[in-house]
Amino acid sequence: MEYQGLTRMVTEELGGVYAREVLADMAEAIRLYQCYDGVGQMWESDQTDYVPTRQVTNFVRKLIDKEARFMFSRAPEITLEGDGEGVKALQEYVRKALEKTGLSAKLSAAGRDCFIGRRVALKLWQGEDGAEAIFCPSTEFVFETEPENADRLQKIIFFHAINDEAERKNQRLWKQRFYMENGRCLVDEAIYDGYGRMIEPVMLGKDTGLTFIPAYVVINDALTGDLRGTSDVALMMADQDRYNRLKSDEADALKFHLFPITVAKNASGKCLDKMKISPGALVDLQTDPAAGEGVQASLEKLESKFAYVDALEGALARTKADMYALLEVPDISVDTLSGVITSGKAMQTLYWELKCKAEERWLAWDKCLRWLVDGVIALGRARGEKLPQTEYRIRIEHLYPVTDDEDAERTLDLKEVEQGVRSVESYREKWGIEPFLYTGDGV
């Protein structure tokens, strides 16, 4: 459905030329999501005398999901470090706040959105019981950064459709805008119709009590100064289309070559008209009088030899391997692991390229999580919470779901506890160790 109101809102907020670029980018993001879902992988068939097969084998979704699971299925361990009891109090406050916001469950979905639509926004706001956080896909926000610093937001607008009406006057769009004014963050929120006219103002120019915009934009694999990012879906679209077409052509070829062709030589026309192809059928084969003396009618079956099978399987295998290679995802299956020692070291080697890629992406995501921790504390203070005023450092440990040598990792973590860089509580939480409680009953 077309929402003219959305076009008008984006144009008013961002200006003519930049707004057109943003709207075109949003249309491209929708196309990327359709490809991820599979509906965008269909193609127009050529004009033929039969209905050609159109079979979609959605490797795009499978590989994107694998990437997200590898990075985010085990949520990173976030620890506040510093001296004094104040840091411990802040650590407990942040831990409870992040658990309440459900950050661990949201990260994997946010990762998929970022890999598909190039970027994702983390929005933080003051809820009734404390800080609330949510990730928004690239199709539901636009933003501007400061001219001299592309890492600092100057304005961000969130929006989404409330209903699904055909007539624009009955359409409803929700819009929320955060912006800076005189060093304070203000927020506007209202309901609009399909023409972009304000129908119901919720809040206009409300002071959030913050000195920063409570939102952070993570951009996927961005170059310096790049505010759009790149999409993993776009990398695979050509190979995915080739794979789908090859598989569909294979299905049609197999269907047509399953049944042999009956070839009649020197048979009369009347005989051929009465001939039926069915199990146990009897054919009254008669020679065509015009065939000449000494010529006898005959029937034979022309069987297909399927000579293309090896070439087809090779093409499919190469195309599939290209898609895995583009995303650095190892193709782990029973066949590929046959004869391989699947120890922790071996599995680490198989996943080495994907881990390196994930670590590179964590450079952007770590900044987002550090911003989130600082934002949770800032919102708590703005709310009136009596939080300690103390310096702290944020340490983020990335955890991957890959078989590892657990004993060696436990030994390393114990050394960190002995050196004071990891708390006993952090060690217990990571390894699922319940603290021993002495009741005094004796043995």
Side-chain angles (χ1 to χ4, degrees):
M1 183 189 306
E2 180 183 358
Y3 280 91
Q4 182 181 356
L6 176 59
T7 302
R8 177 178 174 181
M9 285 191 296
V10 173
T11 303
E12 290 177 351
E13 292 286 353
L14 304 180
V17 176
Y18 181 48
R20 286 195 295 271
E21 294 178 357
V22 170
L23 289 169
D25 186 75
M26 289 175 61
E28 174 64 14
I30 293 173
R31 189 171 75 94
L32 294 171
Y33 272 99
Q34 290 174 340
C35 181
Y36 169 80
D37 291 333
V39 296
Q41 297 181 25
M42 300 303 292
W43 64 95
E44 293 295 329
S45 301
D46 297 330
Q47 294 292 332
T48 60
D49 55 356
Y50 68 97
V51 179
T53 301
R54 292 191 299 171
Q55 178 183 350
V56 171
T57 305
N58 197 349
F59 281 110
V60 168
R61 182 167 193 149
K62 179 179 181 178
L63 293 176
I64 295 291
D65 290 351
K66 279 192 172 185
E67 281 188 305
R69 291 191 199 105
F70 183 79
M71 275 191 69
F72 302 111
S73 63
R74 294 182 65 189
E77 184 180 311
I78 302 175
T79 307
L80 272 63
E81 299 176 342
D83 300 325
E85 295 297 321
V87 174
K88 292 184 178 180
L90 286 178
Q91 170 71 46
E92 184 64 14
Y93 179 81
V94 170
R95 183 186 67 80
K96 290 181 179 179
L98 295 184
E99 285 183 356
K100 187 174 66 67
T101 60
L103 178 68
S104 299
K106 295 174 182 176
L107 273 176
S108 184
R112 289 196 293 271
D113 279 317
C114 193
F115 302 156
I116 299 167
R118 305 190 184 107
R119 55 192 172 272
V120 69
L122 173 61
K123 181 171 68 169
L124 189 64
W125 74 94
Q126 193 71 268
E128 295 181 359
D129 300 323
E132 298 284 351
I134 189 173
F135 287 96
C136 298
S138 58
T139 54
E140 294 184 0
F141 72 92
V142 295
F143 66 100
E144 276 187 348
T145 60
E146 294 181 357
E148 67 279 1
N149 189 351
D151 293 332
R152 291 179 62 88
L153 290 177
Q154 181 173 276
K155 175 170 59 176
I156 187 166
I157 303 98
F158 297 96
F159 47 81
H160 62 79
I162 297 177
N163 60 13
D164 192 23
E165 297 291 334
E167 295 188 21
R168 291 176 179 171
K169 65 178 181 179
N170 296 325
Q171 294 172 0
R172 293 295 179 266
L173 295 167
W174 172 85
K175 170 188 166 186
Q176 184 182 58
R177 179 177 69 147
F178 292 95
Y179 57 100
M180 298 298 296
E181 190 172 289
N182 299 324
R184 307 290 292 180
C185 176
L186 307 183
V187 58
D188 295 338
E189 185 176 336
I191 306 298
Y192 296 78
D193 65 8
Y195 293 101
R197 300 174 300 200
M198 185 184 298
I199 301 298
E200 179 185 347
V202 179
M203 62 182 76
L204 298 176
K206 180 181 178 181
D207 192 337
T208 62
L210 302 173
T211 58
F212 63 95
I213 292 178
Y216 191 96
V217 179
V218 181
I219 302 176
N220 190 52
D221 293 342
L223 298 175
T224 303
D226 182 11
L227 300 180
R228 295 185 179 181
T230 58
S231 170
D232 290 3
V233 174
L235 296 176
M236 295 185 290
M237 288 177 72
D239 282 323
Q240 178 67 78
D241 182 66
R242 172 176 167 79
Y243 191 93
N244 290 339
R245 289 174 183 263
L246 282 173
K247 283 291 293 289
S248 299
D249 289 344
E250 176 198 23
D252 285 337
L254 181 62
K255 179 172 61 178
F256 289 130
H257 287 84
L258 276 177
F259 305 101
I261 301 174
T262 301
V263 179
K265 295 181 179 180
N266 301 315
S268 68
K270 293 181 179 180
C271 169
L272 294 177
D273 291 340
K274 296 179 180 180
M275 188 171 63
K276 294 183 179 180
I277 305 297
S278 62
L282 180 64
V283 178
D284 180 15
L285 187 62
Q286 299 177 5
T287 303
D288 187 357
E293 294 184 4
V295 178
Q296 183 68 36
S298 64
L299 285 177
E300 63 183 34
K301 295 289 187 180
L302 184 61
E303 301 276 358
S304 173
K305 297 181 180 180
F306 290 95
Y308 64 89
V309 173
D310 291 340
L312 175 65
E313 289 181 351
L316 289 173
R318 288 192 299 272
T319 305
K320 177 183 174 183
D322 286 345
M323 285 187 278
Y324 274 86
L326 283 171
L327 298 193
E328 308 289 355
V329 176
D331 186 5
I332 303 299
S333 63
V334 176
D335 294 334
T336 56
L337 292 180
S338 177
V340 178
I341 301 174
T342 54
S343 64
K345 296 288 186 183
M347 294 304 293
Q348 287 286 342
T349 302
L350 287 173
Y351 279 91
W352 179 251
E353 292 291 341
L354 181 58
K355 187 175 181 180
C356 291
K357 180 181 179 180
E359 286 294 324
E360 183 179 5
R361 285 179 165 175
W362 271 117
L363 296 175
W365 283 91
D366 281 350
K367 291 177 64 177
C368 175
L369 295 181
R370 290 190 175 95
W371 174 89
L372 175 61
V373 171
D374 293 336
V376 165
I377 294 174
L379 279 180
R381 287 174 176 155
R383 184 183 176 88
E385 302 275 358
K386 302 299 182 182
L387 299 178
Q389 295 286 346
T390 183
E391 294 185 357
Y392 58 86
R393 299 180 302 276
I394 302 173
R395 183 171 67 87
I396 301 176
E397 182 179 356
H398 310 144
L399 306 176
Y400 299 108
V402 181
T403 303
D404 204 348
D405 295 322
E406 187 173 299
D407 291 339
E409 187 176 354
R410 279 177 178 265
T411 301
L412 179 62
D413 288 349
L414 281 173
K415 288 183 179 180
E416 291 183 349
V417 173
E418 293 172 359
Q419 295 171 0
V421 296
R422 176 189 288 273
S423 67
V424 176
E425 292 80 7
S426 172
Y427 179 86
R428 287 172 175 165
E429 182 179 351
K430 177 177 179 179
W431 295 104
I433 301 173
E434 295 294 335
F436 174 72
L437 298 178
Y438 177 67
T439 61
D441 296 335
V443 179

